[in-house]
Amino acid sequence: MSISNADAVTFSDLSRNPRAVAERAARLGRVRVTHRDAQDFYLTAADREERREQTLATASRLFLALMRHDPTARALVIAMPEVFPWVRHLTSDEVRAFTLELVEALSDAAELDVGATTQEVIAGWRATARIKADPAHYAQAREATSGDFGPVEVSV
């Protein structure tokens, strides 16, 4: 869901006139609060956010139930190219693995409020497809390596 500039206010607007901004958020459903020195955030009604969470949980449970009744996740696997066209560069086993991993990440987002994992799963599989789409890069990625490439930096 995208939001237009008309649905955005500045942090200064919120500070100067919180009531008007809150009324606008209630009328529109939510407003984006932009901040020059920090990340933007949304101001929304709690009941709207709770409905959004319930919707995500319902969709997640539906996908998990489909997978329980069809361990190959055939229906979901068939739908993946429509949602993620780049999966055409993955093998059928990889598409199935991506599908299962994505459904598990969606479940975590819905049940544990861990939303970043879903985007990490998509980004990881998209990166795999990107490498496999370029034969030269894919051949290079498959070459054997040796030695120690030094410490790995992990960002949190």
Side-chain angles (χ1 to χ4, degrees), residues 65-104:
L66 283 170
M67 287 175 47
R68 268 194 298 278
H69 294 286
D70 178 10
T72 64
R74 181 169 159 67
L76 295 175
V77 170
I78 290 171
M80 292 298 276
E82 288 184 44
V83 180
F84 304 103
W86 44 262
V87 300
R88 70 182 177 278
H89 298 290
L90 304 176
T91 67
S92 58
D93 286 342
E94 289 170 330
V95 174
R96 188 170 294 104
F98 171 41
T99 303
L100 298 175
E101 195 174 339
L102 180 61
V103 169
E104 289 171 349

PDB file of all heavy atoms in Angstrom, residues 65-104:
ATOM      1  N   ALA A  65      -1.947 -24.058   6.741  1.00  0.00           N
ATOM      2  CA  ALA A  65      -2.910 -25.150   6.610  1.00  0.00           C
ATOM      3  C   ALA A  65      -2.830 -25.783   5.227  1.00  0.00           C
ATOM      4  O   ALA A  65      -2.886 -27.012   5.096  1.00  0.00           O
ATOM      5  CB  ALA A  65      -4.327 -24.638   6.884  1.00  0.00           C
ATOM      6  N   LEU A  66      -2.690 -24.972   4.193  1.00  0.00           N
ATOM      7  CA  LEU A  66      -2.540 -25.504   2.834  1.00  0.00           C
ATOM      8  C   LEU A  66      -1.317 -26.410   2.758  1.00  0.00           C
ATOM      9  O   LEU A  66      -1.356 -27.479   2.152  1.00  0.00           O
ATOM     10  CB  LEU A  66      -2.397 -24.371   1.816  1.00  0.00           C
ATOM     11  CG  LEU A  66      -3.666 -23.635   1.429  1.00  0.00           C
ATOM     12  CD1 LEU A  66      -3.339 -22.396   0.604  1.00  0.00           C
ATOM     13  CD2 LEU A  66      -4.599 -24.549   0.661  1.00  0.00           C
ATOM     14  N   MET A  67      -0.237 -26.002   3.394  1.00  0.00           N
ATOM     15  CA  MET A  67       0.988 -26.800   3.363  1.00  0.00           C
ATOM     16  C   MET A  67       0.843 -28.098   4.154  1.00  0.00           C
ATOM     17  O   MET A  67       1.408 -29.117   3.782  1.00  0.00           O
ATOM     18  CB  MET A  67       2.168 -25.979   3.885  1.00  0.00           C
ATOM     19  CG  MET A  67       2.591 -24.921   2.880  1.00  0.00           C
ATOM     20  SD  MET A  67       3.892 -23.826   3.473  1.00  0.00           S
ATOM     21  CE  MET A  67       5.055 -24.947   4.152  1.00  0.00           C
ATOM     22  N   ARG A  68       0.087 -28.072   5.231  1.00  0.00           N
ATOM     23  CA  ARG A  68      -0.124 -29.297   6.016  1.00  0.00           C
ATOM     24  C   ARG A  68      -0.911 -30.335   5.217  1.00  0.00           C
ATOM     25  O   ARG A  68      -0.673 -31.527   5.317  1.00  0.00           O
ATOM     26  CB  ARG A  68      -0.854 -28.981   7.320  1.00  0.00           C
ATOM     27  CG  ARG A  68       0.073 -28.702   8.475  1.00  0.00           C
ATOM     28  CD  ARG A  68      -0.660 -28.742   9.800  1.00  0.00           C
ATOM     29  NE  ARG A  68      -1.700 -27.727   9.907  1.00  0.00           N
ATOM     30  CZ  ARG A  68      -1.483 -26.466  10.243  1.00  0.00           C
ATOM     31  NH1 ARG A  68      -0.271 -26.050  10.483  1.00  0.00           N
ATOM     32  NH2 ARG A  68      -2.479 -25.616  10.322  1.00  0.00           N
ATOM     33  N   HIS A  69      -1.858 -29.866   4.409  1.00  0.00           N
ATOM     34  CA  HIS A  69      -2.681 -30.771   3.608  1.00  0.00           C
ATOM     35  C   HIS A  69      -2.015 -31.172   2.298  1.00  0.00           C
ATOM     36  O   HIS A  69      -2.440 -32.128   1.662  1.00  0.00           O
ATOM     37  CB  HIS A  69      -4.057 -30.152   3.347  1.00  0.00           C
ATOM     38  CG  HIS A  69      -4.854 -30.013   4.601  1.00  0.00           C
ATOM     39  ND1 HIS A  69      -5.439 -31.084   5.241  1.00  0.00           N
ATOM     40  CD2 HIS A  69      -5.124 -28.932   5.362  1.00  0.00           C
ATOM     41  CE1 HIS A  69      -6.039 -30.653   6.335  1.00  0.00           C
ATOM     42  NE2 HIS A  69      -5.872 -29.363   6.433  1.00  0.00           N
ATOM     43  N   ASP A  70      -0.997 -30.428   1.905  1.00  0.00           N
ATOM     44  CA  ASP A  70      -0.249 -30.738   0.688  1.00  0.00           C
ATOM     45  C   ASP A  70       1.220 -30.431   0.966  1.00  0.00           C
ATOM     46  O   ASP A  70       1.681 -29.312   0.732  1.00  0.00           O
ATOM     47  CB  ASP A  70      -0.762 -29.894  -0.485  1.00  0.00           C
ATOM     48  CG  ASP A  70       0.028 -30.140  -1.769  1.00  0.00           C
ATOM     49  OD1 ASP A  70       0.846 -31.086  -1.806  1.00  0.00           O
ATOM     50  OD2 ASP A  70      -0.164 -29.377  -2.722  1.00  0.00           O
ATOM     51  N   PRO A  71       1.960 -31.412   1.483  1.00  0.00           N
ATOM     52  CA  PRO A  71       3.349 -31.178   1.868  1.00  0.00           C
ATOM     53  C   PRO A  71       4.233 -30.648   0.731  1.00  0.00           C
ATOM     54  O   PRO A  71       5.249 -30.018   0.976  1.00  0.00           O
ATOM     55  CB  PRO A  71       3.847 -32.546   2.331  1.00  0.00           C
ATOM     56  CG  PRO A  71       2.613 -33.319   2.639  1.00  0.00           C
ATOM     57  CD  PRO A  71       1.533 -32.774   1.749  1.00  0.00           C
ATOM     58  N   THR A  72       3.837 -30.858  -0.514  1.00  0.00           N
ATOM     59  CA  THR A  72       4.627 -30.326  -1.624  1.00  0.00           C
ATOM     60  C   THR A  72       4.308 -28.857  -1.885  1.00  0.00           C
ATOM     61  O   THR A  72       4.995 -28.215  -2.666  1.00  0.00           O
ATOM     62  CB  THR A  72       4.361 -31.118  -2.920  1.00  0.00           C
ATOM     63  OG1 THR A  72       2.992 -30.944  -3.299  1.00  0.00           O
ATOM     64  CG2 THR A  72       4.699 -32.590  -2.752  1.00  0.00           C
ATOM     65  N   ALA A  73       3.271 -28.349  -1.222  1.00  0.00           N
ATOM     66  CA  ALA A  73       2.838 -26.953  -1.367  1.00  0.00           C
ATOM     67  C   ALA A  73       2.591 -26.609  -2.835  1.00  0.00           C
ATOM     68  O   ALA A  73       2.894 -25.515  -3.296  1.00  0.00           O
ATOM     69  CB  ALA A  73       3.857 -26.011  -0.737  1.00  0.00           C
ATOM     70  N   ARG A  74       2.027 -27.550  -3.565  1.00  0.00           N
ATOM     71  CA  ARG A  74       1.843 -27.406  -5.012  1.00  0.00           C
ATOM     72  C   ARG A  74       1.113 -26.122  -5.397  1.00  0.00           C
ATOM     73  O   ARG A  74       1.573 -25.394  -6.280  1.00  0.00           O
ATOM     74  CB  ARG A  74       1.095 -28.628  -5.554  1.00  0.00           C
ATOM     75  CG  ARG A  74       0.872 -28.615  -7.041  1.00  0.00           C
ATOM     76  CD  ARG A  74       0.382 -29.970  -7.539  1.00  0.00           C
ATOM     77  NE  ARG A  74      -0.294 -29.931  -8.803  1.00  0.00           N
ATOM     78  CZ  ARG A  74       0.267 -29.626  -9.959  1.00  0.00           C
ATOM     79  NH1 ARG A  74       1.527 -29.304  -9.995  1.00  0.00           N
ATOM     80  NH2 ARG A  74      -0.427 -29.634 -11.080  1.00  0.00           N
ATOM     81  N   ALA A  75       0.000 -25.816  -4.757  1.00  0.00           N
ATOM     82  CA  ALA A  75      -0.771 -24.619  -5.116  1.00  0.00           C
ATOM     83  C   ALA A  75       0.044 -23.347  -4.895  1.00  0.00           C
ATOM     84  O   ALA A  75       0.034 -22.434  -5.729  1.00  0.00           O
ATOM     85  CB  ALA A  75      -2.069 -24.563  -4.319  1.00  0.00           C
ATOM     86  N   LEU A  76       0.755 -23.293  -3.786  1.00  0.00           N
ATOM     87  CA  LEU A  76       1.570 -22.114  -3.510  1.00  0.00           C
ATOM     88  C   LEU A  76       2.755 -22.023  -4.459  1.00  0.00           C
ATOM     89  O   LEU A  76       3.082 -20.937  -4.947  1.00  0.00           O
ATOM     90  CB  LEU A  76       2.056 -22.132  -2.058  1.00  0.00           C
ATOM     91  CG  LEU A  76       0.966 -22.024  -0.997  1.00  0.00           C
ATOM     92  CD1 LEU A  76       1.569 -22.169   0.397  1.00  0.00           C
ATOM     93  CD2 LEU A  76       0.237 -20.704  -1.121  1.00  0.00           C
ATOM     94  N   VAL A  77       3.396 -23.134  -4.727  1.00  0.00           N
ATOM     95  CA  VAL A  77       4.544 -23.152  -5.636  1.00  0.00           C
ATOM     96  C   VAL A  77       4.120 -22.693  -7.032  1.00  0.00           C
ATOM     97  O   VAL A  77       4.831 -21.934  -7.693  1.00  0.00           O
ATOM     98  CB  VAL A  77       5.203 -24.551  -5.674  1.00  0.00           C
ATOM     99  CG1 VAL A  77       6.233 -24.639  -6.781  1.00  0.00           C
ATOM    100  CG2 VAL A  77       5.851 -24.859  -4.324  1.00  0.00           C
ATOM    101  N   ILE A  78       2.942 -23.127  -7.473  1.00  0.00           N
ATOM    102  CA  ILE A  78       2.431 -22.725  -8.791  1.00  0.00           C
ATOM    103  C   ILE A  78       2.207 -21.213  -8.845  1.00  0.00           C
ATOM    104  O   ILE A  78       2.418 -20.578  -9.882  1.00  0.00           O
ATOM    105  CB  ILE A  78       1.144 -23.499  -9.131  1.00  0.00           C
ATOM    106  CG1 ILE A  78       1.477 -24.968  -9.403  1.00  0.00           C
ATOM    107  CG2 ILE A  78       0.418 -22.888 -10.313  1.00  0.00           C
ATOM    108  CD1 ILE A  78       0.261 -25.863  -9.524  1.00  0.00           C
ATOM    109  N   ALA A  79       1.800 -20.619  -7.732  1.00  0.00           N
ATOM    110  CA  ALA A  79       1.512 -19.182  -7.691  1.00  0.00           C
ATOM    111  C   ALA A  79       2.768 -18.312  -7.585  1.00  0.00           C
ATOM    112  O   ALA A  79       2.721 -17.118  -7.911  1.00  0.00           O
ATOM    113  CB  ALA A  79       0.585 -18.882  -6.516  1.00  0.00           C
ATOM    114  N   MET A  80       3.869 -18.877  -7.165  1.00  0.00           N
ATOM    115  CA  MET A  80       5.074 -18.077  -6.911  1.00  0.00           C
ATOM    116  C   MET A  80       5.541 -17.244  -8.109  1.00  0.00           C
ATOM    117  O   MET A  80       5.891 -16.073  -7.922  1.00  0.00           O
ATOM    118  CB  MET A  80       6.203 -18.964  -6.392  1.00  0.00           C
ATOM    119  CG  MET A  80       5.941 -19.520  -4.996  1.00  0.00           C
ATOM    120  SD  MET A  80       5.769 -18.262  -3.733  1.00  0.00           S
ATOM    121  CE  MET A  80       7.496 -17.976  -3.358  1.00  0.00           C
ATOM    122  N   PRO A  81       5.561 -17.766  -9.342  1.00  0.00           N
ATOM    123  CA  PRO A  81       6.028 -16.933 -10.464  1.00  0.00           C
ATOM    124  C   PRO A  81       5.162 -15.698 -10.723  1.00  0.00           C
ATOM    125  O   PRO A  81       5.648 -14.705 -11.249  1.00  0.00           O
ATOM    126  CB  PRO A  81       5.980 -17.881 -11.666  1.00  0.00           C
ATOM    127  CG  PRO A  81       6.069 -19.247 -11.069  1.00  0.00           C
ATOM    128  CD  PRO A  81       5.350 -19.158  -9.756  1.00  0.00           C
ATOM    129  N   GLU A  82       3.891 -15.755 -10.354  1.00  0.00           N
ATOM    130  CA  GLU A  82       3.040 -14.574 -10.518  1.00  0.00           C
ATOM    131  C   GLU A  82       3.401 -13.487  -9.512  1.00  0.00           C
ATOM    132  O   GLU A  82       3.313 -12.304  -9.808  1.00  0.00           O
ATOM    133  CB  GLU A  82       1.567 -14.946 -10.357  1.00  0.00           C
ATOM    134  CG  GLU A  82       1.021 -15.730 -11.527  1.00  0.00           C
ATOM    135  CD  GLU A  82      -0.458 -15.987 -11.380  1.00  0.00           C
ATOM    136  OE1 GLU A  82      -1.201 -15.056 -11.002  1.00  0.00           O
ATOM    137  OE2 GLU A  82      -0.874 -17.125 -11.636  1.00  0.00           O
ATOM    138  N   VAL A  83       3.800 -13.912  -8.319  1.00  0.00           N
ATOM    139  CA  VAL A  83       4.138 -12.964  -7.260  1.00  0.00           C
ATOM    140  C   VAL A  83       5.597 -12.531  -7.370  1.00  0.00           C
ATOM    141  O   VAL A  83       5.918 -11.356  -7.171  1.00  0.00           O
ATOM    142  CB  VAL A  83       3.862 -13.599  -5.877  1.00  0.00           C
ATOM    143  CG1 VAL A  83       4.216 -12.629  -4.751  1.00  0.00           C
ATOM    144  CG2 VAL A  83       2.409 -14.032  -5.774  1.00  0.00           C
ATOM    145  N   PHE A  84       6.464 -13.460  -7.699  1.00  0.00           N
ATOM    146  CA  PHE A  84       7.901 -13.216  -7.799  1.00  0.00           C
ATOM    147  C   PHE A  84       8.386 -13.725  -9.164  1.00  0.00           C
ATOM    148  O   PHE A  84       8.855 -14.862  -9.270  1.00  0.00           O
ATOM    149  CB  PHE A  84       8.656 -13.946  -6.677  1.00  0.00           C
ATOM    150  CG  PHE A  84       8.188 -13.590  -5.301  1.00  0.00           C
ATOM    151  CD1 PHE A  84       7.370 -14.463  -4.582  1.00  0.00           C
ATOM    152  CD2 PHE A  84       8.555 -12.389  -4.707  1.00  0.00           C
ATOM    153  CE1 PHE A  84       6.929 -14.146  -3.312  1.00  0.00           C
ATOM    154  CE2 PHE A  84       8.110 -12.060  -3.433  1.00  0.00           C
ATOM    155  CZ  PHE A  84       7.299 -12.928  -2.737  1.00  0.00           C
ATOM    156  N   PRO A  85       8.282 -12.916 -10.216  1.00  0.00           N
ATOM    157  CA  PRO A  85       8.639 -13.387 -11.565  1.00  0.00           C
ATOM    158  C   PRO A  85      10.065 -13.909 -11.681  1.00  0.00           C
ATOM    159  O   PRO A  85      10.340 -14.777 -12.513  1.00  0.00           O
ATOM    160  CB  PRO A  85       8.446 -12.140 -12.437  1.00  0.00           C
ATOM    161  CG  PRO A  85       7.553 -11.246 -11.664  1.00  0.00           C
ATOM    162  CD  PRO A  85       7.801 -11.550 -10.219  1.00  0.00           C
ATOM    163  N   TRP A  86      10.954 -13.433 -10.843  1.00  0.00           N
ATOM    164  CA  TRP A  86      12.352 -13.848 -10.911  1.00  0.00           C
ATOM    165  C   TRP A  86      12.579 -15.289 -10.473  1.00  0.00           C
ATOM    166  O   TRP A  86      13.676 -15.820 -10.687  1.00  0.00           O
ATOM    167  CB  TRP A  86      13.241 -12.892 -10.113  1.00  0.00           C
ATOM    168  CG  TRP A  86      12.710 -12.494  -8.774  1.00  0.00           C
ATOM    169  CD1 TRP A  86      12.038 -11.343  -8.469  1.00  0.00           C
ATOM    170  CD2 TRP A  86      12.790 -13.233  -7.555  1.00  0.00           C
ATOM    171  NE1 TRP A  86      11.689 -11.326  -7.136  1.00  0.00           N
ATOM    172  CE2 TRP A  86      12.150 -12.484  -6.546  1.00  0.00           C
ATOM    173  CE3 TRP A  86      13.336 -14.465  -7.215  1.00  0.00           C
ATOM    174  CZ2 TRP A  86      12.053 -12.903  -5.235  1.00  0.00           C
ATOM    175  CZ3 TRP A  86      13.246 -14.889  -5.893  1.00  0.00           C
ATOM    176  CH2 TRP A  86      12.600 -14.115  -4.924  1.00  0.00           C
ATOM    177  N   VAL A  87      11.585 -15.984  -9.929  1.00  0.00           N
ATOM    178  CA  VAL A  87      11.797 -17.387  -9.531  1.00  0.00           C
ATOM    179  C   VAL A  87      12.019 -18.290 -10.736  1.00  0.00           C
ATOM    180  O   VAL A  87      12.466 -19.424 -10.575  1.00  0.00           O
ATOM    181  CB  VAL A  87      10.657 -17.956  -8.644  1.00  0.00           C
ATOM    182  CG1 VAL A  87      10.504 -17.164  -7.354  1.00  0.00           C
ATOM    183  CG2 VAL A  87       9.345 -18.060  -9.388  1.00  0.00           C
ATOM    184  N   ARG A  88      11.781 -17.779 -11.944  1.00  0.00           N
ATOM    185  CA  ARG A  88      12.028 -18.592 -13.141  1.00  0.00           C
ATOM    186  C   ARG A  88      13.496 -18.987 -13.251  1.00  0.00           C
ATOM    187  O   ARG A  88      13.838 -19.916 -13.975  1.00  0.00           O
ATOM    188  CB  ARG A  88      11.555 -17.866 -14.390  1.00  0.00           C
ATOM    189  CG  ARG A  88      12.380 -16.659 -14.772  1.00  0.00           C
ATOM    190  CD  ARG A  88      11.794 -15.954 -16.009  1.00  0.00           C
ATOM    191  NE  ARG A  88      12.531 -14.769 -16.354  1.00  0.00           N
ATOM    192  CZ  ARG A  88      12.372 -13.580 -15.783  1.00  0.00           C
ATOM    193  NH1 ARG A  88      11.465 -13.420 -14.828  1.00  0.00           N
ATOM    194  NH2 ARG A  88      13.095 -12.546 -16.166  1.00  0.00           N
ATOM    195  N   HIS A  89      14.371 -18.287 -12.536  1.00  0.00           N
ATOM    196  CA  HIS A  89      15.803 -18.606 -12.563  1.00  0.00           C
ATOM    197  C   HIS A  89      16.179 -19.656 -11.509  1.00  0.00           C
ATOM    198  O   HIS A  89      17.331 -20.068 -11.445  1.00  0.00           O
ATOM    199  CB  HIS A  89      16.632 -17.338 -12.357  1.00  0.00           C
ATOM    200  CG  HIS A  89      16.411 -16.328 -13.434  1.00  0.00           C
ATOM    201  ND1 HIS A  89      16.856 -16.497 -14.721  1.00  0.00           N
ATOM    202  CD2 HIS A  89      15.740 -15.147 -13.427  1.00  0.00           C
ATOM    203  CE1 HIS A  89      16.496 -15.455 -15.455  1.00  0.00           C
ATOM    204  NE2 HIS A  89      15.812 -14.629 -14.695  1.00  0.00           N
ATOM    205  N   LEU A  90      15.224 -20.066 -10.707  1.00  0.00           N
ATOM    206  CA  LEU A  90      15.468 -21.070  -9.670  1.00  0.00           C
ATOM    207  C   LEU A  90      14.994 -22.437 -10.157  1.00  0.00           C
ATOM    208  O   LEU A  90      14.079 -22.528 -10.979  1.00  0.00           O
ATOM    209  CB  LEU A  90      14.726 -20.695  -8.382  1.00  0.00           C
ATOM    210  CG  LEU A  90      15.026 -19.319  -7.777  1.00  0.00           C
ATOM    211  CD1 LEU A  90      14.131 -19.068  -6.566  1.00  0.00           C
ATOM    212  CD2 LEU A  90      16.493 -19.188  -7.410  1.00  0.00           C
ATOM    213  N   THR A  91      15.578 -23.483  -9.598  1.00  0.00           N
ATOM    214  CA  THR A  91      15.102 -24.830  -9.903  1.00  0.00           C
ATOM    215  C   THR A  91      13.772 -25.048  -9.194  1.00  0.00           C
ATOM    216  O   THR A  91      13.407 -24.309  -8.281  1.00  0.00           O
ATOM    217  CB  THR A  91      16.104 -25.893  -9.432  1.00  0.00           C
ATOM    218  OG1 THR A  91      16.149 -25.867  -7.991  1.00  0.00           O
ATOM    219  CG2 THR A  91      17.494 -25.676 -10.015  1.00  0.00           C
ATOM    220  N   SER A  92      13.056 -26.097  -9.584  1.00  0.00           N
ATOM    221  CA  SER A  92      11.775 -26.379  -8.932  1.00  0.00           C
ATOM    222  C   SER A  92      11.965 -26.683  -7.447  1.00  0.00           C
ATOM    223  O   SER A  92      11.139 -26.287  -6.619  1.00  0.00           O
ATOM    224  CB  SER A  92      11.036 -27.513  -9.642  1.00  0.00           C
ATOM    225  OG  SER A  92      11.820 -28.679  -9.653  1.00  0.00           O
ATOM    226  N   ASP A  93      13.058 -27.367  -7.090  1.00  0.00           N
ATOM    227  CA  ASP A  93      13.332 -27.625  -5.672  1.00  0.00           C
ATOM    228  C   ASP A  93      13.613 -26.320  -4.925  1.00  0.00           C
ATOM    229  O   ASP A  93      13.205 -26.156  -3.779  1.00  0.00           O
ATOM    230  CB  ASP A  93      14.522 -28.579  -5.510  1.00  0.00           C
ATOM    231  CG  ASP A  93      14.164 -30.012  -5.859  1.00  0.00           C
ATOM    232  OD1 ASP A  93      12.956 -30.351  -5.887  1.00  0.00           O
ATOM    233  OD2 ASP A  93      15.098 -30.807  -6.107  1.00  0.00           O
ATOM    234  N   GLU A  94      14.303 -25.396  -5.579  1.00  0.00           N
ATOM    235  CA  GLU A  94      14.587 -24.102  -4.941  1.00  0.00           C
ATOM    236  C   GLU A  94      13.316 -23.275  -4.768  1.00  0.00           C
ATOM    237  O   GLU A  94      13.128 -22.631  -3.732  1.00  0.00           O
ATOM    238  CB  GLU A  94      15.626 -23.323  -5.756  1.00  0.00           C
ATOM    239  CG  GLU A  94      17.015 -23.907  -5.686  1.00  0.00           C
ATOM    240  CD  GLU A  94      17.980 -23.290  -6.682  1.00  0.00           C
ATOM    241  OE1 GLU A  94      17.545 -22.845  -7.773  1.00  0.00           O
ATOM    242  OE2 GLU A  94      19.186 -23.262  -6.371  1.00  0.00           O
ATOM    243  N   VAL A  95      12.424 -23.311  -5.755  1.00  0.00           N
ATOM    244  CA  VAL A  95      11.152 -22.588  -5.631  1.00  0.00           C
ATOM    245  C   VAL A  95      10.347 -23.163  -4.472  1.00  0.00           C
ATOM    246  O   VAL A  95       9.762 -22.428  -3.673  1.00  0.00           O
ATOM    247  CB  VAL A  95      10.337 -22.619  -6.946  1.00  0.00           C
ATOM    248  CG1 VAL A  95       8.959 -21.993  -6.748  1.00  0.00           C
ATOM    249  CG2 VAL A  95      11.094 -21.912  -8.056  1.00  0.00           C
ATOM    250  N   ARG A  96      10.338 -24.470  -4.354  1.00  0.00           N
ATOM    251  CA  ARG A  96       9.633 -25.117  -3.243  1.00  0.00           C
ATOM    252  C   ARG A  96      10.258 -24.707  -1.905  1.00  0.00           C
ATOM    253  O   ARG A  96       9.552 -24.362  -0.956  1.00  0.00           O
ATOM    254  CB  ARG A  96       9.657 -26.637  -3.414  1.00  0.00           C
ATOM    255  CG  ARG A  96       8.792 -27.372  -2.399  1.00  0.00           C
ATOM    256  CD  ARG A  96       8.637 -28.858  -2.721  1.00  0.00           C
ATOM    257  NE  ARG A  96       7.893 -29.046  -3.966  1.00  0.00           N
ATOM    258  CZ  ARG A  96       8.431 -29.375  -5.137  1.00  0.00           C
ATOM    259  NH1 ARG A  96       9.721 -29.589  -5.248  1.00  0.00           N
ATOM    260  NH2 ARG A  96       7.683 -29.518  -6.208  1.00  0.00           N
ATOM    261  N   ALA A  97      11.590 -24.711  -1.835  1.00  0.00           N
ATOM    262  CA  ALA A  97      12.279 -24.313  -0.598  1.00  0.00           C
ATOM    263  C   ALA A  97      11.984 -22.853  -0.264  1.00  0.00           C
ATOM    264  O   ALA A  97      11.735 -22.510   0.903  1.00  0.00           O
ATOM    265  CB  ALA A  97      13.782 -24.544  -0.737  1.00  0.00           C
ATOM    266  N   PHE A  98      11.994 -21.986  -1.272  1.00  0.00           N
ATOM    267  CA  PHE A  98      11.673 -20.572  -1.072  1.00  0.00           C
ATOM    268  C   PHE A  98      10.249 -20.431  -0.550  1.00  0.00           C
ATOM    269  O   PHE A  98       9.984 -19.685   0.397  1.00  0.00           O
ATOM    270  CB  PHE A  98      11.876 -19.810  -2.382  1.00  0.00           C
ATOM    271  CG  PHE A  98      11.366 -18.386  -2.376  1.00  0.00           C
ATOM    272  CD1 PHE A  98      11.535 -17.555  -1.283  1.00  0.00           C
ATOM    273  CD2 PHE A  98      10.733 -17.879  -3.499  1.00  0.00           C
ATOM    274  CE1 PHE A  98      11.083 -16.241  -1.298  1.00  0.00           C
ATOM    275  CE2 PHE A  98      10.273 -16.569  -3.530  1.00  0.00           C
ATOM    276  CZ  PHE A  98      10.447 -15.744  -2.430  1.00  0.00           C
ATOM    277  N   THR A  99       9.319 -21.155  -1.146  1.00  0.00           N
ATOM    278  CA  THR A  99       7.922 -21.090  -0.736  1.00  0.00           C
ATOM    279  C   THR A  99       7.762 -21.484   0.729  1.00  0.00           C
ATOM    280  O   THR A  99       7.104 -20.782   1.506  1.00  0.00           O
ATOM    281  CB  THR A  99       7.054 -22.011  -1.627  1.00  0.00           C
ATOM    282  OG1 THR A  99       7.229 -21.632  -2.991  1.00  0.00           O
ATOM    283  CG2 THR A  99       5.586 -21.930  -1.250  1.00  0.00           C
ATOM    284  N   LEU A 100       8.354 -22.593   1.112  1.00  0.00           N
ATOM    285  CA  LEU A 100       8.249 -23.057   2.503  1.00  0.00           C
ATOM    286  C   LEU A 100       8.887 -22.061   3.459  1.00  0.00           C
ATOM    287  O   LEU A 100       8.321 -21.739   4.509  1.00  0.00           O
ATOM    288  CB  LEU A 100       8.894 -24.435   2.637  1.00  0.00           C
ATOM    289  CG  LEU A 100       8.256 -25.554   1.814  1.00  0.00           C
ATOM    290  CD1 LEU A 100       9.057 -26.847   1.944  1.00  0.00           C
ATOM    291  CD2 LEU A 100       6.809 -25.766   2.201  1.00  0.00           C
ATOM    292  N   GLU A 101      10.061 -21.563   3.098  1.00  0.00           N
ATOM    293  CA  GLU A 101      10.752 -20.601   3.962  1.00  0.00           C
ATOM    294  C   GLU A 101       9.947 -19.308   4.084  1.00  0.00           C
ATOM    295  O   GLU A 101       9.858 -18.714   5.167  1.00  0.00           O
ATOM    296  CB  GLU A 101      12.142 -20.320   3.379  1.00  0.00           C
ATOM    297  CG  GLU A 101      13.081 -19.637   4.335  1.00  0.00           C
ATOM    298  CD  GLU A 101      14.489 -19.511   3.779  1.00  0.00           C
ATOM    299  OE1 GLU A 101      14.878 -20.251   2.858  1.00  0.00           O
ATOM    300  OE2 GLU A 101      15.207 -18.627   4.289  1.00  0.00           O
ATOM    301  N   LEU A 102       9.336 -18.874   2.982  1.00  0.00           N
ATOM    302  CA  LEU A 102       8.534 -17.659   3.005  1.00  0.00           C
ATOM    303  C   LEU A 102       7.300 -17.823   3.885  1.00  0.00           C
ATOM    304  O   LEU A 102       6.968 -16.935   4.683  1.00  0.00           O
ATOM    305  CB  LEU A 102       8.132 -17.275   1.581  1.00  0.00           C
ATOM    306  CG  LEU A 102       7.283 -16.013   1.441  1.00  0.00           C
ATOM    307  CD1 LEU A 102       8.015 -14.792   1.973  1.00  0.00           C
ATOM    308  CD2 LEU A 102       6.895 -15.809  -0.021  1.00  0.00           C
ATOM    309  N   VAL A 103       6.615 -18.940   3.760  1.00  0.00           N
ATOM    310  CA  VAL A 103       5.429 -19.171   4.591  1.00  0.00           C
ATOM    311  C   VAL A 103       5.806 -19.212   6.071  1.00  0.00           C
ATOM    312  O   VAL A 103       5.105 -18.656   6.918  1.00  0.00           O
ATOM    313  CB  VAL A 103       4.687 -20.451   4.147  1.00  0.00           C
ATOM    314  CG1 VAL A 103       3.618 -20.845   5.151  1.00  0.00           C
ATOM    315  CG2 VAL A 103       4.071 -20.246   2.775  1.00  0.00           C
ATOM    316  N   GLU A 104       6.922 -19.838   6.391  1.00  0.00           N
ATOM    317  CA  GLU A 104       7.383 -19.856   7.784  1.00  0.00           C
ATOM    318  C   GLU A 104       7.704 -18.447   8.270  1.00  0.00           C
ATOM    319  O   GLU A 104       7.372 -18.079   9.404  1.00  0.00           O
ATOM    320  CB  GLU A 104       8.599 -20.767   7.921  1.00  0.00           C
ATOM    321  CG  GLU A 104       8.256 -22.236   7.768  1.00  0.00           C
ATOM    322  CD  GLU A 104       9.484 -23.136   7.677  1.00  0.00           C
ATOM    323  OE1 GLU A 104      10.620 -22.617   7.517  1.00  0.00           O
ATOM    324  OE2 GLU A 104       9.313 -24.362   7.752  1.00  0.00           O
TER     325      GLU A 104
END
